[in-house]
Amino acid sequence: MAGKLLFVFIFAVALSGALTAELYTTKYDNIDIEDILNNERLYQKYFDCLRSSGKCTADGQYLKEVLPDALQTECSKCSDKQKHGAEKVLRFMLTKKPEDYQVLENIFDKESIYRKKYEEQKRLATEGKPIEY
């Protein structure tokens, strides 16, 4: 009986580790997105990182690496906090930095695969409505 319980415990730990591995790291979740978006110098550093025209911080590099996957999977590996942050950034870029949004869209969606897929989210963001994932 103890052997079965140990096996179940090990299986549960392994399974929880596998499920956790399916999510993006939450290591950078405490970064103040508002501070970055409202500080032109900080915003520009992240924007330059994403478009490969400047140095990246560790969190900027991570974002750059996971962004294609997040687009492809509709942020299915994002935590709720990450989804909320993505909505803030998307809304900000669409309403205050549409040219920058277009630059990133051209980089991360060269074949317009996601453009149609996210058209509804884009419409909601520009209308000031909540974005649904």
Side-chain angles (χ1 to χ4, degrees), residues 2-3 12 14 16 18 30-31 36-37 41-43 51 53-55 59-60 62-63 72 75 79 84 87 100 109 117:
S16 70
N30 291 322
I31 290 174
I36 294 167
L37 296 178
R41 185 184 62 77
L42 286 175
Y43 168 83
R51 64 182 181 146
S53 66
K55 291 184 178 181
D59 55 312
Y62 182 74
L63 174 62
Q72 183 179 5
C75 218
S79 66
H84 182 68
E87 179 180 345
D100 291 354
D109 194 16
K117 188 177 188 178

Side-chain angles (χ1 to χ4, degrees), residues 12-30:
V13 169
L15 181 61
S16 70
L19 291 175
T20 303
E22 291 298 317
L23 298 176
Y24 302 128
T25 185
T26 56
K27 180 178 178 179
Y28 303 110
D29 280 9
N30 291 322

